[in-house]
Amino acid sequence: MPRPEITDLYLIDELLTDEERAIKNTVAQFIDREYLPIIGRHFEQGTFPMEVIPRLAEMGVFGANLQGYGCAGLNNMSYGLILQELERGDSGLRSFASVQSSLSMFPIWAYGSEEQKERFLPGMAKGKLIGCFGLTEPDFGSNPGGMRTRAKKEGDHWVLNGTKTWITNGSIADVAVVWAKVEDGGPESIRGFLVEKGMPGFSAREIKGKFSLRASFTSELSLQDVRVPDRNVLPNVRGLKGPLSCLNNARAGIAFAATGAAIACFEAALEYASSRVQFDRPIAGYQLTQEKLADMLQEIVKAQLLGHRLMRLKDEGKATPAMVSMAKRNNVRVALEIARTARSIFGANGITVEYPAVRHMLNLESVYTYEGTHEVHTLVLGKAITGLDAFS
Amino acid sequence: MKILVTAKRVEDPESKIKVKPDGTGIVQEGLKYKINPFDEIAVEEGLRLVAKHGGEVVVVSIGGKEVHEQLRHALAMGAHKAVWVNHTGPLDQMGVAGLLQKVVEKEKPDLVILGKQSIDDDQNQVGQYLAEWLGWGQATFASKAESFDSENEKNKVPALVVGADNKTVRVVREVDGGLATVECQLPAVVTTDLRLNQPRYASLPGIMKAKSKPIEELIPAGLGVDVTPKLTVTKMSAPPARKAGIKVPDVATLVEKLKTEAKVI
């Protein structure tokens, strides 16, 4: 399908370097040819197309913005562009990449020992080792500082107990970055543990009955007296700062990427509206449809500009959590609204997986809530504006 | 061995092409461009041969500064260096073949691989002219008979095989109703058909590395080639729009219309 140029109304492409544009186009071509033809069926059946992992790895997608250890060493803008194209495919694929790169590889890269980096990162970049990130618990979502998972020191091992939930890639992960409080300490005692598949007492259970992110693994991790050796503890970070820095990284990518789902919905809805005839002319010719399309495009362009500036600031080392919160909050919300509007343009056809809108719409309900709920990002922004903390 | 491949800049085959109202050409605003798909297959084949036999792949493109995009694409796929023939303005197939001939004489490759045609004006002549003017053997429409649907198929003998002594190339060609296998002395010119291979996706680090690979600039005058076209396009027109179909009330009417109007039964 020809991609209408109208989605780049503000010529944002021209703000990219030749290499950034080539990276975007290469991933876009992969998604168009290899992923879009199969995603509808996988979403319907609730399966993840594992065969795309080695192919994305070969291109250098995983840990793309990390330096060394077999990673591509690209800038954050390029990383964002990659994720946006994956998201244009499906949030499930982008979630896989976000978790692998920002939430699993990044903490090892940033806080791991040299031995841990050498042991895990090259395999993870190649997609041979899959990672997941264990922070959220059944009773602690927006309030991770209250987590119940504990690590107790026993000789040269740590004994972990607890439950983590809503863990993307959990049941296929070779290594889980699990955050736990040490002994009976408070949030300041939190440390990161590299829990490996097969360690006795560690298990992952797939969460069933999802109507969102169906083409993605979502799991619950159970840790019962899991003995983790000293060499699997991330040595260089303590406290909530560890997991939050990973999330901040991932959230910037998600904020940038969400526009991909919005573009997919807009383009498909535009094509449909141009060819769907009612009362003897295409519905695109009616004012109500044009208003929908105008609103969708306007929000896409604004979200692109916000995302673009965010990644440039991140590359300059100037991005703050408030900036990330504003972009995540805005871009995911508008993507969700655009998906809903697109669904309405498709009429009854819009409720099937034959068209992308309902799939993206359902996925974006998760994206709205994960990686810092929409509401929490509102409070982060509120605190940055007023200096007053409304969390507690 | 040294392999020269081409990378023509063409309109993206997925773009909607509109003819200008005065018929002098196509509307270029808003069009996307990419490497000619047949040339991309040539680049891929060159890279595979070099991976097996060693050597380097040199990619050449003719056009204004914008063809750097296609050269960088081939470099990102893995080509080693690029030659840019800086020329703007009209060029016919003889002009292209003449320029390529000079590039070949300068680069002295063992093998030239180029698309059998470019998807913009579908001439299918440059490879043939080039081989004739160089006095080299040619094997056009190199193809792989098998589909690429299974691993087993993918691993079958490639359509381009260089002899053990690096002096010959055996090429499976697609011809009407079947396949022909020919053998050429090297150096030779090979043109690629659609089913020869499936080009790789450039790796993202490959895209970054392409930035630092050399692009050598040449100009037609410097090569001593007169590129004044012998062929001019006088008019372009879009194919007539298809008429809407009609619905017939029953099978009898359908059969009647097939007999009397369509005259197919």
Side-chain angles (χ1 to χ4, degrees):
Chain A
M1 187 187 82
R3 310 265 318 275
E5 292 299 306
I6 190 76
T7 47
D8 191 20
L9 188 67
Y10 267 55
L11 308 181
I12 296 165
D13 240 29
E14 289 183 5
L15 301 175
L16 302 175
T17 65
D18 291 345
E19 289 73 33
E20 287 164 350
R21 205 174 302 118
I23 285 167
K24 176 183 173 207
N25 291 341
T26 301
V27 180
Q29 198 164 56
F30 178 87
I31 292 297
D32 286 339
R33 288 189 193 159
E34 319 283 342
Y35 189 73
L36 288 179
I38 59 170
I39 178 58
R41 181 171 50 83
H42 277 287
F43 186 89
E44 190 178 358
Q45 295 174 357
T47 51
F48 183 89
M50 294 296 283
E51 66 272 19
V52 303
I53 296 174
R55 302 200 60 189
L56 289 172
E58 206 176 307
M59 287 167 72
V61 161
F62 302 129
N65 58 342
L66 304 179
Q67 302 285 338
Y69 308 97
C71 302
L74 306 179
N75 62 3
N76 287 298
M77 178 61 76
S78 301
Y79 177 61
L81 291 164
I82 294 167
L83 293 183
Q84 190 174 100
E85 289 307 318
L86 300 183
E87 178 91 22
R88 192 170 60 78
D90 191 86
S91 303
L93 186 62
R94 202 267 310 131
S95 294
F96 180 96
S98 289
V99 168
Q100 179 80 352
S101 305
S102 289
L103 296 185
S104 308
M105 296 175 73
F106 174 77
I108 297 174
W109 182 85
Y111 307 123
S113 67
E114 199 53 37
E115 184 272 333
Q116 289 166 345
K117 293 180 198 181
E118 295 284 356
R119 184 149 52 106
F120 292 105
L121 292 179
M124 294 174 87
K126 286 195 181 73
K128 291 192 171 135
L129 292 176
I130 293 171
C132 70
F133 178 86
L135 177 67
T136 297
E137 299 186 358
D139 295 325
F140 296 91
S142 296
N143 177 22
M147 69 169 67
R148 294 209 180 100
T149 302
R150 299 279 162 185
K152 286 192 188 304
K153 186 89 171 131
E154 269 187 22
D156 57 0
H157 278 70
W158 293 82
V159 179
L160 265 66
N161 277 290
T163 306
K164 299 289 181 181
T165 194
W166 303 117
I167 310 303
T168 299
N169 298 348
S171 50
I172 51 164
D174 299 285
V175 55
V177 180
V178 171
W179 302 94
K181 283 179 184 163
V182 166
E183 306 296 343
D184 293 320
E188 70 292 341
S189 76
I190 290 171
R191 297 195 71 176
F193 298 84
L194 303 175
V195 180
E196 295 181 61
K197 187 162 136 182
M199 284 183 170
F202 174 53
S203 62
R205 181 182 65 83
E206 190 62 14
I207 296 174
K208 297 286 179 195
K210 288 183 298 174
F211 280 75
S212 176
L213 293 178
R214 288 184 53 75
S216 170
F217 293 98
T218 314
S219 321
E220 184 176 279
L221 306 182
S222 162
L223 300 134
Q224 291 182 338
D225 293 327
V226 182
R227 289 174 59 80
V228 178
D230 267 341
R231 66 177 196 136
N232 276 26
V233 185
L234 296 177
N236 300 324
V237 72
R238 278 177 181 72
L240 268 179
K241 169 167 126 325
L244 291 187
S245 69
C246 301
L247 290 171
N248 216 37
N249 230 327
R251 286 164 181 173
I254 288 167
F256 193 97
T259 315
I263 288 172
C265 292
F266 173 80
E267 288 183 346
L270 172 59
E271 196 194 8
Y272 184 87
S274 307
S275 60
R276 168 74 174 172
V277 174
Q278 288 290 283
F279 303 104
D280 299 324
R281 59 189 173 112
I283 59 171
Y286 291 105
Q287 290 182 358
L288 287 178
T289 312
Q290 288 194 358
E291 188 191 25
K292 287 179 186 179
L293 291 169
D295 283 345
M296 289 159 91
L297 181 63
Q298 189 171 306
E299 292 308 325
I300 286 171
V301 171
K302 282 152 70 180
Q304 281 176 324
L305 288 166
L306 203 52
H308 184 92
R309 181 66 184 147
L310 174 67
M311 281 307 180
R312 284 284 183 249
L313 286 168
K314 203 160 152 52
D315 277 325
E316 290 166 19
K318 293 184 196 160
T320 64
M323 292 175 189
V324 173
S325 284
M326 181 183 277
K328 197 272 181 185
R329 184 174 182 273
N330 179 75
N331 290 9
V332 176
R333 181 181 56 80
V334 300
L336 177 57
E337 279 168 13
I338 287 165
R340 288 172 179 161
T341 309
R343 210 291 306 148
S344 76
I345 290 176
F346 287 113
N349 285 318
I351 69 166
T352 73
V353 292
E354 292 298 311
Y355 296 92
V358 78
R359 177 167 56 79
H360 283 298
M361 183 187 105
L362 293 168
N363 284 338
L364 287 162
E365 291 287 354
S366 293
V367 183
Y368 186 82
T369 288
Y370 76 21
E371 290 281 357
T373 64
H374 185 78
E375 294 75 7
V376 161
H377 286 297
T378 309
L379 299 187
V380 172
L381 210 48
K383 188 178 166 188
I385 297 166
T386 64
L388 302 171
D389 186 347
F391 287 89
S392 49
Chain B
M1 65 190 306
K2 187 170 181 177
I3 300 177
L4 186 79
V5 297
T6 50
K8 186 176 181 184
R9 179 179 172 89
V10 298
E11 291 77 22
D12 187 328
E14 291 180 5
S15 311
K16 274 197 182 124
I17 307 287
K18 279 191 218 130
V19 177
K20 284 185 195 163
D22 63 2
T24 54
I26 59 165
V27 180
Q28 290 184 314
E29 280 117 50
L31 275 185
K32 280 190 175 174
Y33 289 85
K34 63 186 297 185
I35 181 172
N36 174 34
F38 289 107
D39 283 344
E40 193 176 27
I41 292 169
V43 175
E44 176 65 35
E45 198 64 21
L47 293 173
R48 289 186 192 190
L49 287 173
V50 160
K52 202 167 169 188
H53 300 278
E56 63 169 351
V57 172
V58 181
V59 56
V60 56
S61 192
I62 305 168
K65 182 94 206 253
E66 62 279 3
V67 303
H68 280 224
E69 196 185 331
Q70 282 62 48
L71 290 173
R72 294 278 179 219
H73 177 87
L75 292 171
M77 285 173 74
H80 300 80
K81 66 168 202 170
V83 175
W84 167 40
V85 181
N86 183 354
H87 171 77
T88 47
L91 206 56
D92 64 11
Q93 60 271 35
M94 285 161 276
V96 173
L99 289 170
L100 289 179
Q101 184 190 355
K102 294 297 173 187
V103 173
V104 168
E105 285 166 5
K106 196 168 166 300
E107 290 290 327
K108 299 185 177 56
D110 301 290
L111 185 61
V112 178
I113 311 179
L114 62 174
K116 70 168 183 178
Q117 66 196 62
S118 57
I119 59 152
D120 46 6
D121 42 32
D122 286 334
Q123 298 274 4
N124 194 335
Q125 296 183 28
V126 168
Q128 292 88 330
Y129 271 113
L130 179 63
E132 172 63 23
W133 292 350
L134 287 167
W136 291 7
Q138 59 176 293
T140 50
F141 316 147
S143 182
K144 192 176 159 104
E146 304 87 4
S147 71
F148 292 92
D149 291 344
S150 69
E151 280 303 311
N152 193 23
E153 294 288 343
K154 282 182 206 164
N155 292 332
K156 281 189 181 166
V157 180
L160 240 78
V161 180
V162 173
D165 54 1
N166 268 10
K167 287 193 174 141
T168 57
V169 60
R170 204 200 66 193
V171 180
V172 178
R173 316 177 52 222
E174 195 163 310
V175 294
D176 279 349
L179 297 169
T181 304
V182 298
E183 200 167 276
C184 280
Q185 300 285 323
L186 290 178
V189 174
V190 171
T191 73
T192 60
D193 214 326
L194 196 62
R195 279 176 289 277
L196 181 60
N197 61 45
Q198 279 182 336
R200 68 195 65 190
Y201 291 96
S203 77
L204 309 181
I207 290 169
M208 301 309 290
K209 267 188 223 140
K211 191 164 51 169
S212 54
K213 289 182 180 173
I215 295 183
E216 185 188 353
E217 180 183 347
L218 301 173
I219 51 169
L223 293 170
V225 181
D226 176 12
V227 294
T228 314
K230 297 181 179 63
L231 183 96
T232 48
V233 175
T234 52
K235 188 171 188 296
M236 281 199 181
S237 56
R242 283 183 63 180
K243 284 189 208 146
I246 53 160
K247 275 185 185 169
V248 291
D250 51 41
V251 174
T253 320
L254 175 66
V255 172
E256 178 61 24
K257 283 193 179 290
L258 287 173
K259 271 185 187 162
T260 58
E261 285 182 27
K263 297 193 172 80
V264 290
I265 52 172

